[in-house]
């Protein structure tokens, strides 16, 4: 037999561990680096003459030959990875593998099938009858068996010009029918020094159902304290993609996008461009809330009068990035309530970014609805219509404008955006409005708005948003114009319409130090009263230690200003305890109270799903000292947190929180961590305990189901299995699941896993004969197969305590045998891998087995 130097894996699917190679890998190498051929007898592989006729290895006498079959393959088009799929491969007379590609697959990968007549004539779902280069000149494919990668070289003219990361809408998945409730529950019980107790609870509930491409959602909150009990249904709506328009249709209670006009809440219908449907390369915001807590504090965030977020945090600096806002603009009112009952407030400005579009692209929105008043206000709710358009004129400029109309209000907007190159972009617009107010007065005015976003490369300064608005005396926004007038002298926001507003959100890196500044100021006509809010700080990491300095200031209406400055340092203790830190924090508020905190915090468990914090603090106010403990845990069923605070004046506080979801889907009902907007339902065919990379605490439950939260809509999402932590009784060849969900979809993915024992089976036949190398073994368990290696050893996963094997190396009765495998579950394992070692006799088959 003639062999060339080559690597000969005898497997059908990508292995999940090196153990699979025991049954499938043979390395044959020449002793010379030249291309000369060498011959030796196949009996050398078996060691006895009887076996020479049993196995045919002639295929592997050819260079680059491999067995045909279905292989899990990474698709790479012009050096860009697209996805991982299972492809069927055939081999030619030389044994070289060729992928069976269909026109549908090529179209899915962004190749312009319709531009090649011969290719159009091929059956769309059948493999091509000729090599790809026959249909598309200069196109070629190359399959790298060692890395399981199919590299496709394609002329640029044959690739869709939609964008280098374009994904055809036909690949978007609407998901499976589901109903769910995504919840966040928090509460606290505070007992003061006089032993008086007050409690409060908060529930944030996002419930919904998916059917086909339709999304039904309700966003509600519930809050309870000793003297109040409030349930608010903030929004209820249905939505559906309009793929051809790259837009979303929404009906019900929602809010406008707030690009051209201020975002307003409505009850009606809306069609608006969804830029997430475009590739990243063709796209033109909830803000991050930063602050400092001096104890186990309760963070409350309100927008448009609605309480949209409430949670407990441990002492120290905090960042909140998971907001579900009620509108796309509208300032966020943040309250930090400490364990001793003191409160600090500040306002986070939240508004549209500078308006720019790529040349020839258009973004639009149209709404016909009834206006919905902000929570806690008293306003008229008229019918209205609003429309806006943003169009990219060329590489440097964008034009936009819009109209708003109701029975008592009319407004028109026109503006332009200018690209400033490396300095970012700026937009300038003017709004003309006429309003008949609630007191029957008619007012006409204009509002000029300037927005800037970008980065100044020379100074490494990032402007998330810088904005200025000037309004004439007679200008009212639509929301302000619908405010009801009750002749209350304290109703100064109605009596004095807005004049100037300046807002800024900027970050700067200076010599390794990150600085940030966020704030706004609003003043009004005919009064010296102003609203002001400012949040500023810096962060620095030096020799593994991190430092932060923060300042907050807030003043609204006639309330006294609230100010606080804090400094903190965190020192890693990883040399003594992995993933742990010691921290010190010093804070001072406007009242002159200074508090010092010394603490210890960290994370535990292999995927850091358990976190903890221990704090000791002291205040100069009456020499008060306090102690606190706080912990959080991410489980596969929900996220949990709790904290306890005790002060030297005998006051104490207990806080707790649970966030997660209940999802009903075709495979059952699953408890999970918070879902986010778009999520995946994984079914592992009954295999429990399978975990996933970069998903702390997520694992398949006792029914083999798991929820992967927070997927990115309209983009490729790769869900990777953590094969290093598979349970002892579970095995899988799958390493990655790929999905492309549409917005708010609940997509389903099946993970092929085998549940049962893993075993290395040493086979033998009568008269001390071995089972031939390359023999195929199949079990009486669906999906369990294996290949015998050159030592007559077989590796199998997913077998039961009693399993019957049929082993074939040919079609004749003398080329197959059967073995009965019995595993004693009470027998302790002798190795840490969870793999059992078994000897089995393979007996001659006397009749053909089905």
């Amino acid at each position: 037999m003639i062999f060339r130097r080559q690597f000969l894996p005898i497997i059908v699917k990508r292995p999940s561990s090196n153990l699979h190679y025991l049954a499938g890998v043979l390395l044959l190498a020449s002793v010379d680096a030249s291309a000369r051929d060498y011959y030796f007898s196949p009996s050398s592989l078996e060691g006895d003459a009887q076996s020479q006729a049993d196995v045919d290895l002639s295929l592997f006498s050819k260079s680059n030959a491999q067995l045909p079959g279905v292989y899990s393959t990474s698709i790479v088009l012009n050096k860009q990875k697209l996805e991982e799929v299972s492809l069927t491969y055939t081999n030619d007379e030389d044994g070289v593998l060729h992928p069976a590609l269909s026109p549908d697959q090529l179209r899915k990968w962004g190749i312009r099938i319709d531009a090649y007549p011969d290719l159009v004539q091929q059956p769309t779902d059948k493999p091509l009858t000729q090599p790809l280069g026959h249909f598309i000149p200069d196109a070629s494919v190359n399959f790298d068996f060692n890395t399981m990668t199919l590299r496709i070289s394609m002329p640029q003219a044959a690739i869709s010009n939609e964008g280098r990361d374009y994904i055809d809408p036909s690949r978007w998945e609407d998901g499976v029918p589901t109903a769910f409730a995504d919840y966040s529950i928090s509460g606290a019980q505070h007992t003061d020094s006089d032993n008086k107790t007050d409690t409060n609870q908060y529930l944030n509930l996002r419930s919904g159902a998916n059917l086909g491409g339709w999304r039904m959602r309700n966003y509600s909150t519930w809050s309870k304290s000793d003297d109040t009990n409030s349930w608010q249904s903030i929004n209820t709506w249905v939505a559906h993609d309009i793929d051809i328009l790259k837009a979303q249709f929404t009906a019900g209670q929602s809010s406008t996008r707030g690009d051209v006009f201020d975002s307003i809440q409505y009850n009606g219908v809306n069609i608006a461009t969804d830029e997430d449907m475009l590739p990243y390369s063709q796209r033109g915001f909830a803000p991050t809330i930063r602050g400092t807590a001096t104890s186990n504090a309760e963070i409350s965030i309100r927008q448009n009068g609605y309480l949209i977020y409430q949670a407990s945090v441990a002492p120290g600096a905090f960042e909140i990035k998971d907001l579900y806002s009620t509108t796309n603009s509208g300032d966020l009112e943040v309250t930090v309530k400490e364990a001793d009952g003191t409160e600090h407030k500040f306002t986070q400005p939240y508004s549209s970014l500078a308006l720019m579009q790529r040349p020839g692209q258009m973004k639009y929105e149209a709404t016909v609805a009834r206006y919905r008043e902000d929570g806690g206000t008293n306003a008229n709710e008229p019918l209205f219509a609003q429309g806006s358009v943003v169009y990219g004129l060329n590489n440097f400029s964008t034009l936009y404008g819009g109209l708003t109309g109701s029975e008592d209000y009319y407004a028109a907007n026109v503006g332009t955006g200018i690209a400033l190159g490396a300095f970012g972009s700026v937009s300038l617009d003017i709004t003309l409005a006429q309003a008949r107010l609630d007191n029957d007065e008619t007012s006409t005015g204009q509002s000029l708005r300037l927005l800037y976003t970008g980065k100044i490369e020379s100074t490494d300064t990032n402007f998330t948003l810088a904005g200025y608005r000037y309004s004439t005396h007679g200008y009212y926004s639509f929301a302000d114009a619908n405010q009801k007038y009750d002749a209350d002298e304290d109703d100064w926001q109605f009596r004095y319409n807005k004049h100037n507003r300046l807002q800024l959100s900027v970050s700067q890196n200076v010599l390794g130090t990150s600085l940030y500044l966020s704030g706004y100021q609003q003043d009004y006509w005919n009064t010296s009263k102003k609203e002001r809010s400012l949040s500023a700080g810096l962060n620095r990491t030096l020799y593994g230690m991190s430092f932060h300095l923060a300042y907050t200031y807030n003043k609204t209406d006639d309330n006294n200003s609230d100010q606080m400055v804090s400094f903190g340092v965190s020192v890693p203790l990883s040399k003594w305890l992995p993933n742990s830190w010691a921290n010190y924090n010093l804070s001072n508020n406007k009242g002159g109270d200074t508090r010092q905190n010394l603490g210890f915090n960290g994370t535990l468990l292999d995927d850091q799903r358990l976190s903890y914090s221990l704090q000791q603090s002291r205040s100069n106010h009456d020499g008060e000292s306090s102690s606190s403990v706080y912990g959080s845990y991410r489980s596969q069923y929900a996220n949990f947190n709790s904290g306890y605070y005790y002060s030297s004046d005998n006051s104490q506080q207990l806080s707790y929180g649970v966030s997660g979801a209940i999802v009903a889907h075709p495979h059952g009902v699953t408890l999970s961590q918070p879902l986010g907007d778009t999520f995946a339902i994984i079914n592992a065919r009954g295999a429990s305990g399978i975990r996933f990379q970069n998903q702390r605490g997520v694992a398949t439950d006792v029914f083999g189901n798991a929820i992967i939260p927070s997927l990115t809509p309209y983009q490729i999402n790769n869900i990777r299995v953590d094969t290093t932590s598979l349970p002892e009784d579970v095995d899988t060849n799958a390493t990655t699941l790929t999905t492309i969900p549409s917005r708010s979809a609940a997509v389903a993915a099946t993970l092929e896993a085998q549940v049962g024992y893993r075993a290395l089976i040493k086979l033998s036949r009568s008269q001390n004969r071995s089972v031939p190398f390359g023999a195929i073994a199949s079990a009486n368990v669906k999906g369990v197969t294996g290949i015998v290696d050159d030592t007559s050893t077989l590796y199998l996963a997913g077998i039961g305590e009693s399993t019957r094997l049929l082993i074939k190396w040919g079609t004749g009765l003398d080329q197959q045998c059967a073995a009965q495998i019995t595993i004693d579950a009470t027998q302790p394992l002798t190795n840490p891998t969870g793999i059992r070692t078994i000897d089995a006799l393979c007996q001659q088959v006397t009749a053909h087995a089905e």
Side-chain angles (χ1 to χ4, degrees):
M1 178 174 287
I2 297 175
F3 284 91
R4 300 179 189 273
R5 172 180 290 183
Q6 58 180 354
F7 183 59
L8 302 178
I10 315 295
I11 59 175
V12 176
K13 293 185 178 181
R14 179 179 293 181
S16 61
S17 69
N18 290 335
L19 293 169
H20 285 209
Y21 286 102
L22 293 173
V25 177
L26 176 65
L27 181 62
L28 300 175
S30 68
V31 295
D32 194 302
S34 69
R36 290 179 296 168
D37 298 336
Y38 295 89
Y39 176 85
F40 64 92
S41 172
S43 63
S44 303
L45 295 173
E46 296 297 336
D48 62 69
Q50 287 181 320
S51 299
Q52 293 180 27
D54 285 340
V55 59
D56 181 11
L57 298 178
S58 60
L59 170 68
F60 302 109
S61 66
K62 301 168 184 176
S63 177
N64 299 322
Q66 301 293 351
L67 289 175
V70 178
Y71 296 89
S72 181
T73 307
S74 295
I75 306 299
V76 176
L77 175 63
N78 290 355
K79 298 183 179 182
Q80 180 184 358
K81 183 176 179 179
L82 300 182
E83 61 176 339
E84 292 193 14
V85 296
S86 293
L87 285 183
T88 300
Y89 289 84
T90 59
N91 54 7
D92 55 24
E93 62 274 7
D94 293 326
V96 177
L97 292 180
H98 297 281
L101 301 178
S102 68
D104 279 348
Q105 286 173 317
L106 297 175
R107 188 187 303 275
K108 184 178 71 171
W109 296 332
I111 296 174
R112 300 173 58 212
I113 302 300
D114 298 331
Y116 300 91
D118 291 344
L119 198 52
V120 173
Q121 295 176 6
Q122 294 286 305
T124 59
D125 57 348
K126 302 294 183 183
L128 300 178
T129 56
Q130 297 288 337
L132 185 58
H134 173 81
F135 301 99
I136 303 177
D138 299 322
S140 63
V141 297
N142 177 50
F143 181 51
D144 186 340
F145 190 87
N146 292 330
T147 61
M148 291 293 169
T149 301
L150 181 67
R151 293 183 172 87
I152 305 176
S153 176
M154 189 65 56
Q156 195 62 37
I159 299 177
S160 171
N161 60 2
E162 297 288 348
R164 64 178 181 273
D165 47 2
Y166 171 75
I167 298 175
D168 192 279
S170 63
R171 299 176 62 189
W172 298 346
E173 303 173 44
D174 284 333
V176 296
T178 50
F180 65 86
D182 195 340
Y183 62 88
S184 176
I185 303 171
S186 62
Q189 177 177 293
H190 178 76
T191 303
D192 62 20
S193 57
D194 297 326
N195 209 31
K196 181 182 177 181
T197 300
D198 63 82
T199 62
N200 66 79
Q201 291 89 35
Y202 173 75
L203 168 65
N204 185 306
L205 183 64
R206 297 176 61 254
S207 54
N210 289 1
L211 183 61
W214 288 97
R215 316 286 183 239
M216 291 153 277
R217 297 291 186 269
N218 174 264
Y219 183 17
S220 298
T221 63
W222 172 79
S223 58
K224 182 181 184 300
S225 61
D226 290 334
D227 52 358
T228 61
N229 190 334
S230 173
W231 175 271
Q232 290 183 313
S233 180
I234 299 176
N235 289 325
T236 301
W237 74 96
V238 296
H240 197 289
D241 288 357
I242 307 177
D243 295 352
I244 193 172
L245 299 179
K246 298 292 190 293
Q248 288 282 337
F249 167 79
T250 304
Q253 299 169 325
S254 188
S255 61
T256 60
R257 301 297 174 94
D259 292 328
V260 175
F261 295 102
D262 291 340
S263 180
I264 55 177
Q265 300 185 122
Y266 66 81
N267 190 349
V269 295
N270 171 278
I271 296 177
T273 303
D274 188 344
E275 287 194 304
D276 285 349
M277 293 183 178
L278 300 174
Y280 283 117
S281 58
Q282 295 184 10
R283 297 184 191 176
F285 170 66
T288 297
I289 307 298
R290 296 183 177 92
T292 303
T294 61
S295 63
N296 289 350
E298 179 184 85
I299 310 300
S300 302
I301 301 176
R302 287 177 168 81
Q303 186 182 41
N304 298 323
Y306 293 107
L307 180 63
I308 65 169
Y309 185 96
Q310 183 171 296
S312 298
V313 298
F318 62 83
E319 288 188 355
I320 297 173
K321 301 179 179 180
D322 57 346
L323 290 177
Y324 290 102
S325 60
T326 61
T327 70
N328 293 316
S329 64
D331 296 336
L332 303 173
E333 303 168 12
V334 184
T335 302
V336 182
K337 184 177 181 180
E338 303 289 353
D340 61 4
T342 60
E343 292 186 355
H344 309 288
K345 296 183 178 182
F346 62 93
T347 301
Q348 172 72 48
Y350 183 17
S351 185
S352 303
L353 304 180
L355 294 176
M356 290 295 298
Q357 283 291 103
R358 288 175 174 268
Q361 287 193 0
M362 182 173 65
K363 181 166 63 173
Y364 58 88
E365 180 175 18
T367 306
V368 177
R370 182 176 294 278
Y371 173 65
R372 291 179 66 218
E373 66 175 1
D374 293 344
T377 65
N378 187 20
N380 298 306
E381 296 185 325
L383 292 170
F384 75 96
Q386 186 180 89
S388 63
V389 175
V390 183
Y391 180 75
L393 193 63
N394 51 44
N395 285 331
F396 309 102
S397 60
T398 295
L399 297 179
Y400 60 90
L403 297 171
T404 300
S406 70
E407 182 179 1
D408 297 321
Y409 184 87
Y410 304 95
N413 174 285
V414 63
T416 183
I418 304 296
L420 303 178
F423 294 97
S425 59
V426 62
S427 62
L428 175 68
D429 61 71
I430 185 171
T431 303
L432 310 177
Q434 177 178 297
R436 187 171 67 189
L437 305 178
D438 192 52
N439 58 3
D440 285 332
E441 292 182 3
T442 299
S443 184
T444 302
Q446 303 84 42
S447 181
L448 185 70
R449 180 178 62 165
L450 178 71
L451 298 173
Y452 171 76
T453 55
K455 179 178 181 178
I456 301 177
E457 297 288 349
S458 59
T459 59
D460 196 27
T461 304
N462 289 281
F463 287 89
T464 305
L465 172 67
Y468 173 75
R469 182 189 285 274
Y470 169 80
S471 302
T472 63
H473 186 276
Y475 175 81
Y476 285 85
S477 68
F478 185 64
D480 291 340
N482 284 296
Q483 183 74 30
K484 288 186 176 180
Y485 178 63
D486 56 12
D488 186 349
E489 291 296 331
D490 292 332
D491 191 9
W492 64 282
Q493 286 188 345
F494 178 82
R495 298 173 62 85
Y496 309 112
N497 52 313
K498 295 173 181 176
H499 183 202
N500 290 291
R501 177 183 174 94
L502 177 66
Q503 63 188 79
L504 180 69
S505 181
V506 60
S507 63
Q508 171 77 56
N509 191 285
V510 179
L511 300 177
T513 300
S514 175
L515 299 91
Y516 66 89
L517 173 67
S518 178
Y520 87 102
Q521 175 175 294
Q522 175 75 62
D523 59 36
Y524 295 79
W525 285 100
N526 300 326
T527 179
S528 60
K529 297 178 180 179
K530 291 181 174 63
E531 298 178 25
R532 290 194 183 104
S533 182
L534 179 67
S535 177
L538 63 85
N539 299 280
R540 175 67 188 263
T541 299
L542 188 64
Y543 301 113
M545 299 182 293
S546 60
F547 303 84
H548 79 266
L549 177 66
Y551 171 77
T552 60
Y553 171 91
N554 192 71
K555 187 179 188 306
T556 59
D557 299 351
D558 292 325
N559 297 328
N560 293 326
S561 63
D562 182 15
Q563 301 179 62
M564 187 175 76
V565 61
S566 65
F567 168 78
V569 58
S570 180
V571 181
L573 304 176
S574 301
K575 291 184 178 180
W576 300 275
L577 180 64
N579 302 311
S580 62
W581 297 264
N583 53 78
Y584 171 78
N585 193 77
L586 175 69
S587 63
N588 179 268
N589 60 33
K590 183 180 179 182
D593 294 343
T594 300
R595 181 179 292 270
Q596 300 181 69
N597 282 39
L598 183 63
F600 175 69
N601 62 281
T603 59
L604 295 172
L605 304 182
D606 54 352
D607 62 353
Q608 302 180 39
R609 60 186 180 272
L610 175 64
S611 63
Y612 60 89
S613 173
L614 305 173
Q615 302 284 333
Q616 180 68 38
S617 66
R618 183 174 179 83
S619 172
N620 68 342
H621 181 69
D622 297 330
E624 177 190 352
S625 62
S626 63
S627 302
S628 65
V629 59
Y630 182 87
S632 63
Y633 178 73
R634 291 173 176 259
S635 80
Q636 66 190 84
Y637 305 111
N639 296 338
F640 304 89
N641 68 78
S642 63
Y644 178 74
Y645 164 90
Y646 179 81
S647 175
S648 57
D649 65 356
N650 292 324
S651 64
Q652 53 187 312
Q653 176 178 286
L654 176 65
S655 61
Y656 55 88
V658 182
S659 60
I662 305 172
V663 183
H665 52 86
H667 298 293
V669 177
T670 302
L671 302 178
S672 81
Q673 296 179 8
L675 299 174
D677 179 69
T678 306
F679 58 95
I681 303 165
I682 307 298
N683 177 255
R685 301 194 181 280
S688 63
I690 297 177
R691 289 157 63 178
F692 303 87
Q693 295 181 16
N694 302 319
Q695 298 288 339
R696 285 189 290 170
V698 176
T700 55
D701 60 17
V702 294
F703 303 105
N705 298 319
I707 305 295
I708 306 296
S710 301
L711 301 184
T712 303
Y714 311 112
Q715 300 299 318
I716 296 174
N717 293 260
N718 292 315
I719 303 168
R720 292 180 170 83
V721 179
D722 186 358
T723 55
T724 63
S725 63
L726 288 175
E728 291 185 0
D729 62 344
V730 174
D731 196 32
T732 178
N733 285 327
T735 57
T736 304
L737 302 174
T738 301
T739 184
I740 307 174
S742 59
R743 180 169 299 283
S744 304
V747 293
T750 300
L751 177 61
E752 297 294 342
Q754 295 82 41
V755 180
Y757 297 99
R758 290 182 284 174
L760 281 173
I761 304 168
K762 178 67 175 179
L763 296 168
S764 62
R765 291 190 287 166
S766 58
Q767 301 178 0
N768 292 324
R769 291 183 300 169
S770 60
V771 176
F773 163 71
I776 305 296
S778 57
N780 59 344
V781 180
K782 183 179 179 180
V784 177
T785 60
I787 301 177
V788 178
D789 73 1
D790 58 324
T791 65
S792 292
T793 302
L794 172 69
Y795 172 76
L796 291 178
I799 61 176
E801 293 185 7
S802 180
T803 304
R804 181 172 175 79
L805 299 179
L806 178 64
I807 301 168
K808 295 183 179 182
W809 55 93
T811 58
L813 288 178
D814 59 341
Q815 292 178 309
Q816 51 188 292
C817 62
Q820 185 68 36
I821 307 301
T822 302
I823 295 177
D824 185 359
T826 62
Q827 189 71 23
L829 286 171
T830 59
N831 63 75
T833 64
I835 301 176
R836 299 173 184 270
T837 303
I838 302 170
D839 293 324
L841 177 64
C842 197
Q843 298 178 332
Q844 188 70 38
V845 174
T846 57
H848 282 286
E850 295 297 331

